[in-house]
Amino acid sequence: MANIDLSVNLGGLKLKNPLVVTASDATRTVWQLEEAEKHGASAVILKAISIDPAALRSKPRFHVKNNSIFGFGGSKRLTSDDCEALIKEAKKTVKIPLGVNIIYSSPDNIDIYKEIASRMQDAGADFIEMNFFPATMKKPEGEHIPDLIYDGIKAVKEITKVPVMTKMTPEGFDAAEAAHAMESAGSDAIHAIDAVPGSPMIDIHNQGKLVMEGTKNSVLWLSGEYLRPIAQANVITIAKAVKIPVLGTGGLMNWNHAIEMLMFGATATGLCTNVMIHGFEVLRKIEEQIKEFMNQSGFERIDDFRGLALKSMRTYSTDVEIVPVVAQVDTDTCNGCGLCVKPGHCGLQYRAIKIVEEKAEVDQAQCLGCGTCFYVCPVNAISMV
């Protein structure tokens, strides 16, 4: 693997690999930043800066299950003073790029965001991330969110010399439209996505109370593995819409997920929930497995396979080109389990598959060619021909 090069350029940030630890409760102290670097992170984005006093008093509460976080009951943000001190202290020992995350709440506060960005840059921040999270944005009546995004980025870009990245979760607005606004305003890269609203887990046998220790209530929040398909879909949309690089984040729990994100058009990948649950050690493991994949596949650079899957993506079902196929059963392999006759949409006028003498039998004239039976067959007795 001597020729494998994992380096990427994320909007002017030259990174040794595509693994970035993104803003969370795992990036709020110097020891965490040192651990991230030690285990292979190419950059770290510090815990978000907020100017909302309520966001500065809380402590984190999560419900973790199935490599995901369902809801949270608090998450202490950093003040600009906290973040400035953290950067200055971390810069004494940490060599990888450090970015700051500034939560955008209102266009009324643009001058405050400019002042914060300037201070963080002077303290040693290597890049600025403007976080446009719909749940925290106070949109004036009649204002268009992409316009607010444009104005916010444009203002910060005017006073910074370091790269400016824009983080978003498309909630209530079009991802492609927002991405165009970010690019037009001068954003050097787009970070997609933040966590999305998701229901917390409840105990249906205990009056619907939260299944979360240490809190009486929760906000709607979902991160981790359940988020991945949503995150990847947004990365695809953004990568097809703009030319600037994309940092793809959301539910990346192993090297396969990272490769998928890169093939969907991301320039680099962000890890958050994975590190929060499994620790910084996952970074080195993912890095080594990406190298092994590239070696086996004959890829020398990330750009050799970045975006490969984009050409297969379509926005509307009517744009999809389908190939005529029908199901075919290998009766020697079929065990007659009957799972293939369960799908409720099978057949044109009547069900295309039935069990005859303990074997599946296909009426190919009735087969839709959807492939459902192929995927549910536990013994691989069905093929699509």
Side-chain angles (χ1 to χ4, degrees):
M1 295 192 290
N3 295 324
I4 300 298
D5 180 7
L6 294 183
S7 64
V8 297
N9 189 318
L10 184 65
L13 289 172
K14 296 180 179 179
L15 307 180
K16 63 182 181 180
N17 65 44
L19 304 178
V20 177
V21 177
T22 61
S24 74
D25 285 281
T27 63
R28 58 191 316 277
T29 64
V30 173
W31 76 263
Q32 292 169 319
L33 309 183
E34 291 174 341
E35 283 289 296
E37 181 175 46
K38 172 185 173 182
H39 291 288
S42 63
V44 176
I45 304 172
L46 308 185
K47 180 67 176 178
I49 298 171
S50 177
I51 61 174
D52 179 3
L56 306 173
R57 296 193 295 265
S58 185
K59 292 183 179 180
R61 298 289 186 271
F62 306 119
H63 180 80
V64 178
K65 188 174 183 179
N66 298 335
N67 279 331
S68 298
I69 294 176
F70 297 88
F72 79 83
S75 183
K76 182 176 171 59
R77 313 292 189 182
L78 299 181
T79 66
S80 53
D81 288 343
D82 293 335
C83 196
E84 183 178 26
L86 176 58
I87 294 169
K88 289 180 177 179
E89 186 63 26
K91 280 293 181 176
K92 297 176 183 178
T93 56
V94 179
K95 305 305 179 186
I96 58 175
L98 301 178
V100 297
N101 178 300
I102 304 173
I103 297 177
Y104 181 99
S105 60
S106 168
D108 296 337
N109 298 320
I110 282 183
D111 287 341
I112 297 176
Y113 304 138
K114 290 170 63 175
E115 190 266 336
I116 293 173
S118 179
R119 283 180 60 191
M120 299 308 117
Q121 176 180 255
D122 292 344
D126 298 287
F127 60 103
I128 306 294
E129 178 174 85
M130 294 297 293
N131 192 347
F132 294 89
F133 189 64
T136 62
M137 290 177 64
K138 298 177 177 64
K139 183 168 71 73
E141 186 70 28
E143 289 287 346
H144 195 43
I145 286 182
D147 293 337
L148 298 180
I149 292 173
Y150 177 91
D151 292 342
I153 298 167
K154 190 77 171 176
V156 171
K157 281 289 292 184
E158 288 174 354
I159 54 89
T160 54
K161 297 179 181 178
V162 297
V164 175
M165 184 159 56
T166 315
K167 187 173 186 179
M168 71 161 168
T169 291
E171 178 193 331
F173 58 90
D174 181 78
E177 186 180 4
H180 281 301
M182 294 171 183
E183 186 176 46
S184 299
S187 184
D188 297 289
I190 295 173
H191 185 180
I193 60 176
D194 209 328
V196 301
S199 60
M201 291 193 172
I202 60 173
D203 184 352
I204 63 172
H205 300 291
N206 188 20
Q207 301 180 353
K209 291 184 178 179
L210 286 176
V211 182
M212 184 186 296
E213 298 296 328
T215 186
K216 294 181 179 179
N217 40 48
S218 173
V219 299
L220 298 177
W221 184 268
L222 175 66
S223 68
E225 191 150 4
Y226 282 73
L227 177 63
R228 189 175 70 259
I230 300 170
Q232 290 176 337
N234 279 284
V235 167
I236 291 166
T237 299
I238 294 165
K240 290 172 73 71
V242 298
K243 293 182 173 59
I244 57 177
V246 180
L247 172 62
T249 299
L252 306 186
M253 307 307 294
N254 57 48
W255 68 274
N256 294 75
H257 300 161
I259 295 295
E260 288 174 357
M261 190 66 90
L262 295 166
M263 285 190 173
F264 282 138
T267 292
T269 61
L271 293 98
C272 177
T273 304
N274 195 351
V275 170
M276 292 175 67
I277 297 174
H278 300 293
F280 296 99
E281 293 85 353
V282 299
L283 295 164
R284 188 69 70 190
K285 183 177 181 180
I286 292 174
E287 179 185 23
E288 292 303 319
Q289 289 172 322
I290 290 175
K291 285 182 181 178
E292 182 61 29
F293 163 80
M294 292 174 64
N295 185 56
Q296 292 179 356
S297 303
F299 298 128
E300 294 184 358
R301 301 163 56 248
I302 297 295
D303 276 347
D304 291 342
F305 63 90
R306 188 178 71 82
L308 283 182
L310 281 179
K311 62 179 180 291
S312 301
M313 299 297 113
R314 298 292 183 271
T315 302
Y316 303 104
S317 61
T318 51
D319 295 334
V320 173
E321 301 174 55
I322 62 172
V323 177
V325 293
V326 291
Q328 180 174 287
V329 178
D330 179 352
T331 54
D332 291 335
T333 305
C334 177
N335 64 3
C337 70
L339 290 178
C340 59
V341 303
K342 299 296 185 184
H345 62 279
C346 181
L348 293 169
Q349 285 81 35
Y350 52 84
R351 189 176 294 280
I353 305 180
K354 58 184 176 180
I355 302 296
V356 179
E357 295 181 355
E358 299 183 346
K359 299 290 182 178
E361 183 178 283
V362 180
D363 182 344
Q364 294 186 339
Q366 288 294 312
C367 181
L368 297 169
C370 69
T372 305
C373 59
F374 166 77
Y375 292 109
V376 302
C377 179
V379 293
N380 300 318
I382 299 177
S383 56
M384 304 304 296
V385 296

